[in-house]
Amino acid sequence: MPVNPNPQGKGLVPVLQGLQQHWERVHIQPKQIEQVSLELFTSLFVLQSDFRFNPVPGQDYWLYRCSQGYRLLLVGPDEWSGKAPGYCIGCCNLHQDRTWTLSLTAESANDEDLLAEIESSRAALQDRLESAEQLEDVMPSFSEHQGYYGKALTFILGKSLTTSMALSGINELSYEQARGLLTQGSQVEKKKD
């Protein structure tokens, strides 16, 4: 058997090309820490779900809670001819910069257990942000439990938010330092008025 049974890197090349194609289509804007924190949490919450398709920016997707976790699907709760695969949490939308938004259904917005789970996850991320030496240390790359599209989108999310923070000049700051810039900026604005 040869020393390197895959000398051309077959299998790895399509993955890397796919990531590069995703990244080339991303338009990045500068973002402040509060926006980064919110978008990071929401995006990671959506990306923890199981999905086996390539989400397209601008299209609606539906997040369901199933017995085995969360699933992101193309089919909304009113479109099932039979029983839905689980409890519909809400409508998700992927943006051009590869961040996600999630609009909870009315039922989910009143589900105390779900809201407690979301708050617990949010608090855990907040702790990670506040304890990191630099904000970019908290940006995701990918998780082993994710499928191909989840890994690709998580990687791109991390690159996108890191670039946004670099454009804002906060990527190498701690969370408190970045928040301090916001406070200084609002005080300067008040003095101008």
Side-chain angles (χ1 to χ4, degrees):
M1 179 168 212
V3 175
N4 183 356
N6 188 11
Q8 297 173 341
K10 291 181 180 176
L12 180 60
V13 172
V15 170
L16 295 176
Q17 287 173 337
L19 290 175
Q20 185 64 30
Q21 289 171 355
H22 277 292
W23 182 243
E24 290 171 355
R25 294 181 283 207
V26 176
H27 179 69
I28 308 296
Q29 296 290 323
K31 296 177 183 176
Q32 295 303 317
I33 187 57
E34 297 301 328
Q35 184 178 3
V36 168
S37 175
L38 177 63
E39 290 178 358
L40 177 61
F41 172 73
T42 304
S43 299
L44 290 176
F45 188 79
V46 172
L47 290 171
Q48 75 178 332
S49 64
D50 178 40
F51 59 99
R52 296 183 179 128
F53 57 90
N54 186 15
V56 177
Q59 183 172 332
D60 288 338
Y61 300 96
W62 298 92
L63 186 62
Y64 293 86
R65 177 187 258 166
C66 307
S67 59
Q68 64 274 26
Y70 294 99
R71 288 187 67 196
L72 187 66
L73 299 171
L74 296 160
V75 182
D78 299 332
E79 301 174 61
W80 293 95
S81 57
K83 185 179 176 187
Y87 169 69
C88 183
I89 292 175
C91 181
C92 303
N93 193 281
L94 178 63
H95 299 276
Q96 289 296 328
D97 67 355
R98 300 316 189 260
T99 59
W100 289 84
T101 53
L102 170 61
S103 301
L104 296 177
T105 63
E107 185 179 2
S108 293
N110 293 314
D111 182 336
E112 291 181 15
D113 291 336
L114 175 65
L115 295 178
E117 180 182 336
I118 290 171
E119 183 53 38
S120 174
S121 295
R122 178 80 170 113
L125 176 62
Q126 189 67 31
D127 287 345
R128 286 180 45 220
L129 285 168
E130 290 176 6
S131 64
E133 286 185 35
Q134 295 181 347
L135 290 169
E136 62 189 348
D137 295 341
V138 182
M139 293 303 111
S141 55
F142 69 87
S143 173
E144 288 299 322
H145 77 276
Q146 293 175 307
Y148 169 77
Y149 294 113
K151 287 178 182 175
L153 287 171
T154 301
F155 173 80
I156 294 166
L157 170 68
K159 294 279 285 177
S160 175
L161 290 176
T162 299
T163 302
S164 292
M165 291 186 306
L167 292 171
S168 297
I170 64 171
N171 60 314
E172 294 181 354
L173 301 178
S174 70
Y175 181 80
E176 288 305 316
Q177 290 169 329
R179 285 201 33 93
L181 289 178
L182 287 176
T183 305
Q184 290 172 358
S186 14
Q187 290 173 353
V188 170
E189 288 298 317
K190 286 179 184 177
K191 287 180 184 179
K192 288 181 182 178
D193 294 339

